[in-house]
């Protein structure tokens, strides 16, 4: 929530808080009603301190469908990625993959590691020229303004050519980007991107998500699943 407030303040955004009630076994002190009220009060207090407008929503069941519905009326949704060791439903009973695939809006996934506050200064853009990658990039443009470095990672034989076209496109938006020529690590695409993100010390990865069929992703994993189950770096994904 703190991260969301920092980002909203920078963009003078209207901030919507969506609260999913804690479930049994989460080890939280107090009743669910008391916890919900305390978080709501803190949300309202922060709105006042930062002179922002906002709204508060109590989650409804089924959660995944309700969250996706609410996100369709937003420019950007911030969702915690949770523990990378647990790819099942989180304690509230939904998986982030469900939200990414169904909401139709960009998701900024936040890992559980300690994060530097926005704005983003060093960004890695995963680019394969696909509709999903293009959507993610253009959804991310407002967050790229004012950044120091944009690294374009475009793998494959025609990667350099695709990267050059994207660099020229970003220049027309007043953004300077460079093509990452680091040798491949011979990893899966998802791990390759995370390895480069770590070496380049980026504070945001931008990537298209779930460009393959649901069956293909579920059977063979895939870069999207790797990126939404990690604790290294925030990631903006669009489907």
């Amino acid at each position: 929530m703190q991260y969301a407030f920092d980002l909203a303040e920078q963009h003078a955004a209207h901030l919507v808080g969506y609260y999913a009630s804690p479930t049994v076994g989460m080890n939280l002190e107090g009743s669910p009603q008391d916890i919900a009220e305390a978080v709501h009060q803190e949300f309202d207090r922060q709105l006042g301190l930062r002179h922002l407008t906002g709204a508060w929503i109590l989650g409804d069941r089924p959660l995944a469908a309700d969250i996706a519905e609410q996100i369709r009326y937003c420019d950007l949704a911030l969702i915690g990625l949770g523990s990378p060791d647990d790819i099942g439903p989180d304690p509230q009973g939904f998986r982030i993959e469900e939200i990414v695939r169904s909401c139709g809006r960009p998701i900024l996934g936040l890992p559980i590691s300690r994060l530097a506050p926005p704005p983003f200064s060093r960004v890695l853009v995963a680019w394969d020229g696909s509709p999903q990658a293009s959507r993610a990039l253009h959804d991310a443009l407002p967050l790229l303004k004012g950044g120091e470095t944009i690294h374009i990672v475009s793998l494959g034989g025609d990667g350099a050519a695709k990267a050059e076209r994207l660099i020229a496109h970003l220049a027309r938006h007043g953004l300077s980007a460079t093509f990452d020529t680091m040798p491949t690590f011979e990893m899966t695409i998802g791990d390759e991107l995370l390895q480069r993100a770590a070496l380049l010390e980026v504070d945001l990865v931008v990537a298209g998500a779930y460009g393959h069929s649901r069956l293909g992703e579920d059977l063979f994993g895939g870069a999207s699943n790797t990126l939404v189950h990690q604790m290294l770096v925030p990631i903006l994904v669009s489907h």
Side-chain angles (χ1 to χ4, degrees):
M1 191 167 72
Q2 184 68 42
Y3 200 94
F5 270 110
D6 290 344
L7 193 60
E9 194 170 26
Q10 289 174 13
H11 294 270
H14 179 84
L15 186 61
V16 178
Y18 185 100
Y19 186 81
S21 298
T23 56
V24 175
M26 284 188 68
N27 252 343
L28 296 176
E29 295 183 4
S31 70
Q33 293 80 8
D34 291 342
I35 296 169
E37 182 58 30
V39 179
H40 188 181
Q41 289 179 3
E42 176 61 16
F43 181 84
D44 286 344
R45 188 182 75 86
Q46 289 286 340
L47 283 178
L49 286 175
R50 299 170 186 256
H51 307 290
L52 295 171
T53 63
W56 183 255
I57 298 172
L58 286 175
D60 199 3
R61 305 285 174 172
L63 272 176
D66 189 50
I67 293 171
E69 166 73 14
Q70 300 293 344
I71 290 174
R72 293 184 191 121
Y73 299 93
C74 300
D75 298 310
L76 177 69
L78 276 67
I79 297 181
L81 297 180
S83 170
D85 298 324
D86 182 11
I87 62 172
D90 77 358
Q92 278 73 45
F94 68 89
R95 296 173 60 181
I96 188 172
E97 294 94 323
E98 298 177 88
I99 310 301
V100 172
R101 283 181 169 126
S102 61
C103 71
R105 304 298 301 135
I107 301 290
L108 178 57
L110 301 178
I112 59 176
S113 57
R114 185 176 180 86
L115 300 175
F120 306 104
S121 59
R122 299 173 64 85
V123 179
L124 184 154
V125 175
W127 184 255
D128 61 1
S130 67
Q132 290 80 11
S134 179
R135 189 172 298 116
L137 171 75
H138 291 89
D139 286 338
L141 284 180
L143 303 180
L144 304 184
K145 304 292 184 181
E148 297 175 6
T149 309
I150 301 174
H151 299 278
I152 309 299
V153 175
S154 189
L155 305 175
D158 57 351
K162 290 181 178 179
E164 288 178 6
R165 294 180 66 184
L166 180 58
I167 290 169
H169 175 63
L170 289 173
R172 291 189 286 270
H173 285 271
L175 296 170
S176 177
T178 60
F179 176 44
D180 177 21
T181 58
M182 194 181 303
T184 180
F185 296 100
E186 303 298 331
M187 299 176 171
T188 64
I189 293 176
D191 289 328
E192 182 94 20
L193 293 173
L194 291 179
Q195 181 71 15
R196 290 168 185 258
L199 291 173
L200 295 169
E201 298 182 332
V202 302
D203 45 26
L204 178 67
V205 171
V206 176
Y210 301 105
H212 302 290
S213 70
R214 179 187 297 265
L215 178 63
E217 289 284 352
D218 290 343
L219 284 178
F220 306 110
S224 304
N225 284 338
T226 300
L227 294 176
V228 300
H229 292 291
Q230 47 87 19
M231 57 180 294
L232 299 176
V233 62
I235 173 166
L236 187 143
V237 292
S238 297
H239 174 58

